[in-house]
C-alpha cells in the first residue's frame, strides 16, 4: 500500500476552534495564569456507548487492513503531528502548564510522533514454538477488539500515544477518556491523527468519573490501558472484573535514586536534577527520593542546589522558562502539605519551600530538603511535584533497604563512576526499571512497566505490542 494524504495544517487558533463544543461546555483554565483557554464538552455514558458501538463496528475492517497498511497510516499520522507540532505544543503549554522549551511541551509533541513511528516499525513475526516429528506449533497475536484508554493530566498527549499506537497497530480500535484536567490537549491530538485514520477507529470522549467507570466495565471493551494513581487503578480492576478484561496498569510510583560513594557530585548534578524535576516533578517515573552516601552527601547537596537555583520557572509560553506551575490546585496543596511536614520535622531546606501567596497560577518553587528522616511524609508519600527529599545513608545495604521499603516500584536509579558496581546494586532494587547514571529515560523500543503496586503489564517495544493482542497457538 502507498497512500498519500493532503496534510491538514492548523494554527493554534484554528485547532482550538476545531475542538470547541457547538454549545455549552465547561471552562478550561491556564494553570499558570488562571485565564480561560477554551471550553470542553461534557458527554456522558450515552455518548461513550455510542463511540464504543461505532468502534466495535469499525474494528474488523481496521484489522483486515493488515499490519503493513496500519503501520503506514500510523506513520502518516506521525507526519500530521509534526506538521502541526507548534499548534499542539502551544495548546499543551497553556492547558497543562509545562513550558514550551526544555523537556516539556515541544518535547512531548515530538515524542508523540516518535512513538508512532517506532511502533509502526516493529516487526511482529509468527513464533514457531515446536517443529519436530510432524508437529508444528505456532504462536500468533490477534487483535483484541476495542481498547479503552484512560489517560493522566501530566503527559496527556504522550501517554495517550503510548496507549493508542500499539493498540491501533495490532488492529484494535480505541476509545480514549482523557483526564478532566487536560481534555483539550487530547482532543486536539486526536483531531490531528484522525485527519489520517478511517472513521470510528479512534475516538475521544472527555467526561467525568462516570464515563471512566463505564469504560472500565463496558462489555464491548476488550482491554483497558490506564496510567494514573494506584487507588484509581484498583478501582479499574474491580470495575473490569465481571467482563474479565485484559489490563495494562501504570500506577503510582515513588522512585528512589541511590548515589554510591564513588560518584562525582558535579558530574551527576544536572542529570539528577532533570531526573527529579522533569515536568516540574509531575512524572510517574521521576526521581522522588534521593539516597546519598554520607561520604559525599554535602557535596551532592551543594552541586544539586547550584543547578536547581538556575533553572527558571514561570509561564510556559515564555521561551526562557524550563519549569512551570503545578497543573492544578489539588496537586499544589499536596506538595505544600508535604514540604510543611518536612520543615516542621526540622529537616534542612536547601532551596525553595516558600511559595509566593499573591501570584497567579499554581507555582511551587523548586525545593530541595536535606537531613530528612526516611519515615517523613515527604519521603514515603508521592509528592508529584517540585520538591525532592535527600536522605543520608551509611551502608549500601541500608540504602537498598530504604529504597525497597515502600509498596510501589515503578522505577529507580543508581549513580556511580563504576557501572559494574551500579549494576550489582540495581539488581537488588525492587522496581520495573532501574537506570544507571540517569533517571526516567524511556525509549519506544524498550519495555516499561511497574513492580509491586505500581501496576502490571508492559508497554513499549515488541513486548508491549504483544500485550495489545490475544495470543493464539495453532498446533497441527
Amino acid at each position: 500500500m502507498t497512500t498519500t494524504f493532503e496534510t491538514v495544517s492548523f494554527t493554534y487558533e484554528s485547532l482550538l476552534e476545531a475542538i470547541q463544543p457547538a454549545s455549552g461546555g465547561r471552562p478550561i483554565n491556564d494553570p499558570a495564569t488562571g485565564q480561560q483557554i477554551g471550553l470542553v464538552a461534557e458527554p456522558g455514558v450515552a455518548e461513550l456507548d455510542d463511540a464504543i458501538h461505532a468502534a466495535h463496528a469499525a474494528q474488523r475492517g481496521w484489522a483486515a487492513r493488515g499490519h503493513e497498511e496500519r503501520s503506514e497510516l500510523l506513520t502518516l499520522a506521525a507526519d500530521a503531528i509534526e506538521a502541526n507540532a507548534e499548534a499542539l505544543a502551544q495548546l499543551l503549554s497553556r492547558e497543562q502548564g509545562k513550558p514550551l522549551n526544555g523537556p516539556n511541551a515541544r518535547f512531548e509533541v515530538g515524542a508523540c510522533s516518535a512513538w508512532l513511528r517506532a511502533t509502526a516499525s516493529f516487526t511482529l513475526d509468527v513464533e514457531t514454538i515446536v517443529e519436530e516429528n510432524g508437529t508444528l506449533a505456532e504462536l500468533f497475536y490477534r487483535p483484541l477488539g476495542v481498547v479503552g484508554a484512560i489517560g493522566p493530566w501530566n503527559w496527556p498527549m504522550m501517554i495517550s500515544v503510548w496507549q493508542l499506537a500499539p493498540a491501533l497497530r495490532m488492529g484494535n480500535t480505541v476509545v480514549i477518556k482523557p483526564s478532566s484536567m487536560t481534555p483539550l490537549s487530547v482532543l486536539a491530538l486526536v483531531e490531528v491523527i484522525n485527519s489520517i485514520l478511517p472513521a470510528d477507529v479512534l475516538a475521544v470522549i472527555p467526561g467525568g468519573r462516570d464515563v471512566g467507570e463505564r469504560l472500565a466495565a463496558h462489555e464491548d471493551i476488550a482491554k483497558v490501558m490506564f496510567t494514573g494513581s494506584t487507588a484509581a487503578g484498583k478501582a479499574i480492576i474491580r470495575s473490569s472484573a465481571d467482563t474479565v478484561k485484559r489490563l495494562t496498569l501504570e500506577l503510582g510510583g515513588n522512585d528512589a535514586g541511590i548515589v554510591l560513594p564513588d560518584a562525582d557530585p558535579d558530574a551527576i548534578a544536572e542529570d539528577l536534577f532533570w531526573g527529579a524535576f522533569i515536568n516540574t516533578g509531575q512524572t510517574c517515573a521521576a526521581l522522588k527520593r534521593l539516597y546519598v552516601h554520607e561520604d559525599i552527601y554535602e557535596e551532592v547537596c551543594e552541586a544539586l542546589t547550584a543547578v536547581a537555583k538556575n533553572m527558571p520557572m514561570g509561564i510556559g509560553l515564555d521561551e526562557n522558562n524550563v519549569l512551570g506551575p503545578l497543573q492544578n490546585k489539588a496537586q499544589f496543596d499536596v506538595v505544600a502539605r508535604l514540604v510543611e511536614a518536612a520543615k516542621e520535622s526540622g529537616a534542612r531546606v536547601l532551596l525553595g519551600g516558600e511559595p509566593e501567596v499573591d501570584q497567579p497560577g499554581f507555582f511551587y518553587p523548586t525545593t530541595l530538603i536535606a537531613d530528612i528522616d526516611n519515615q517523613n511524609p515527604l519521603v514515603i508519600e508521592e509528592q508529584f511535584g517540585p520538591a525532592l527529599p535527600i536522605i543520608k545513608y551509611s551502608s549500601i545495604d541500608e540504602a537498598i533497604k530504604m529504597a525497597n521499603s515502600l509498596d510501589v516500584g515503578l522505577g529507580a536509579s543508581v549513580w556511580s563512576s563504576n557501572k559494574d558496581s551500579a549494576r550489582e546494586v540495581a539488581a537488588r532494587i525492587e522496581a520495573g526499571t532501574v537506570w544507571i547514571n540517569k533517571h526516567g529515560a524511556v525509549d519506544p523500543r524498550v519495555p516499561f512497566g511497574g513492580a509491586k503496586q505500581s501496576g502490571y503489564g508492559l508497554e513499549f517495544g515488541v513486548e508491549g505490542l504483544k500485550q495489545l493482542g490475544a495470543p493464539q497457538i495453532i498446533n497441527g
Side-chain angles (χ1 to χ4, degrees):
M1 171 198 170
T2 301
T3 305
T4 58
F5 286 85
E6 183 177 346
T7 302
V8 176
S9 182
F10 290 102
T11 63
Y12 167 77
E13 292 77 13
S14 65
L15 183 58
L16 181 60
E17 182 180 0
I19 60 174
Q20 291 300 282
S23 61
R26 173 174 60 89
I28 298 294
N29 298 327
D30 186 332
T33 65
Q35 296 176 345
Q36 182 174 313
I37 305 165
L39 299 167
V40 63
E42 293 192 287
V45 294
E47 289 84 356
L48 175 69
D49 288 347
D50 289 344
I52 294 172
H53 178 77
H56 189 267
Q59 190 271 323
R60 287 187 181 274
W62 175 244
R65 290 173 178 259
H67 281 291
E68 183 177 351
E69 185 175 348
R70 293 194 300 270
S71 292
E72 185 170 347
L73 288 168
L74 291 181
T75 301
L76 290 170
D79 292 343
I81 290 172
E82 288 176 352
N84 293 283
E86 190 61 19
L88 288 166
Q90 287 189 29
L91 178 56
L92 177 62
S93 181
R94 285 178 163 97
E95 182 180 48
Q96 201 282 334
K98 63 184 66 184
L100 290 170
N101 290 325
N104 292 298
R106 289 174 177 141
F107 169 86
E108 180 169 349
V109 174
C112 291
S113 55
W115 246 265
L116 281 167
R117 290 189 193 285
T119 305
S121 74
F122 297 144
T123 300
L124 189 61
D125 296 321
V126 177
E127 298 177 34
T128 300
I129 308 303
V130 175
E131 187 176 11
E132 63 182 19
N133 301 324
T135 296
L136 175 61
E138 294 178 307
L139 172 61
F140 298 80
Y141 287 89
R142 312 298 191 193
L144 294 166
V146 184
V147 172
I150 303 175
W153 49 258
N154 58 333
W155 295 91
M157 290 184 180
M158 184 174 73
I159 291 177
S160 291
V161 169
W162 290 358
Q163 296 169 334
L164 68 88
L168 293 173
R169 163 65 198 281
M170 185 57 77
N172 306 293
T173 51
V174 180
V175 177
I176 298 176
K177 192 206 92 65
S179 166
S180 60
M181 302 289 188
T182 52
L184 299 180
S185 296
V186 181
L187 284 164
L189 176 71
V190 172
E191 181 78 14
V192 171
I193 293 174
N194 275 346
S195 69
I196 302 298
L197 298 182
D200 300 325
V201 166
L202 174 63
V204 54
I205 303 295
R209 180 174 295 180
D210 59 335
V211 172
E213 290 174 351
R214 175 63 173 159
L215 184 64
H218 199 287
E219 59 274 11
D220 285 335
I221 293 291
K223 173 161 185 163
V224 172
M225 302 187 74
F226 172 74
T227 296
S229 71
T230 298
K234 291 177 179 178
I236 288 171
I237 293 170
R238 289 189 289 269
S239 295
S240 68
D242 285 346
T243 50
V244 197
K245 294 190 194 314
R246 290 165 172 80
L247 300 173
T248 293
L249 304 174
E250 195 244 273
L251 307 180
N254 194 345
D255 289 12
I258 299 177
V259 180
L260 302 187
D262 65 355
D264 181 338
D266 291 326
I268 66 174
E270 187 165 347
D271 288 329
L272 282 173
F273 174 84
W274 283 118
F277 292 99
I278 186 172
N279 197 26
T280 316
Q282 300 166 108
T283 298
C284 295
L287 172 56
K288 300 187 175 82
R289 300 175 285 148
L290 183 61
Y291 297 96
V292 181
H293 193 272
E294 59 188 4
D295 288 354
I296 58 170
Y297 185 81
E298 291 301 331
E299 290 86 349
V300 169
C301 288
E302 290 172 7
L304 188 52
T305 301
V307 170
K309 70 182 182 181
N310 289 317
M311 294 292 183
M313 175 184 287
I315 294 173
L317 297 181
D318 183 333
E319 298 276 355
N320 295 311
N321 293 323
V322 294
L323 299 171
L326 289 157
Q327 201 283 324
N328 54 79
K329 180 62 162 58
Q331 198 57 45
F332 179 95
D333 290 343
V334 168
V335 176
R337 173 178 61 82
L338 293 174
V339 172
E340 284 304 308
K343 290 161 62 177
E344 290 171 3
S345 75
R348 176 164 49 119
V349 178
L350 301 175
L351 184 70
E354 296 289 344
E356 295 182 24
V357 295
D358 296 329
Q359 67 177 355
F362 306 126
F363 289 97
Y364 197 94
T366 306
T367 298
L368 298 171
I369 305 287
D371 301 339
I372 186 170
D373 184 83
N374 194 55
Q375 297 303 310
N376 190 279
L378 181 58
V379 179
I380 63 174
E381 296 183 36
E382 185 181 21
Q383 69 275 44
F384 216 72
L388 179 67
I390 309 172
I391 305 101
K392 185 186 298 184
Y393 74 89
S394 300
S395 71
I396 300 300
D397 288 344
E398 177 191 13
I400 293 170
K401 182 178 179 179
M402 290 191 291
N404 289 339
S405 63
L406 301 182
D407 61 1
V408 290
L410 188 56
S413 56
V414 183
W415 305 76
S416 171
S417 296
N418 186 319
K419 283 200 172 182
D420 290 335
S421 298
R423 284 181 171 272
E424 290 176 6
V425 174
R428 298 172 63 189
I429 297 177
E430 298 166 356
T433 299
V434 183
W435 292 276
I436 294 175
N437 293 331
K438 56 188 174 182
H439 195 111
V442 291
D443 185 310
R445 301 165 297 179
V446 179
F448 179 74
K452 300 193 279 190
Q453 292 195 32
S454 286
Y456 48 74
L458 287 173
E459 299 177 275
F460 313 161
V462 175
E463 293 306 313
L465 182 61
K466 290 177 180 178
Q467 306 248 324
L468 274 302
Q472 182 188 49
I473 295 288
I474 295 182
N475 193 336

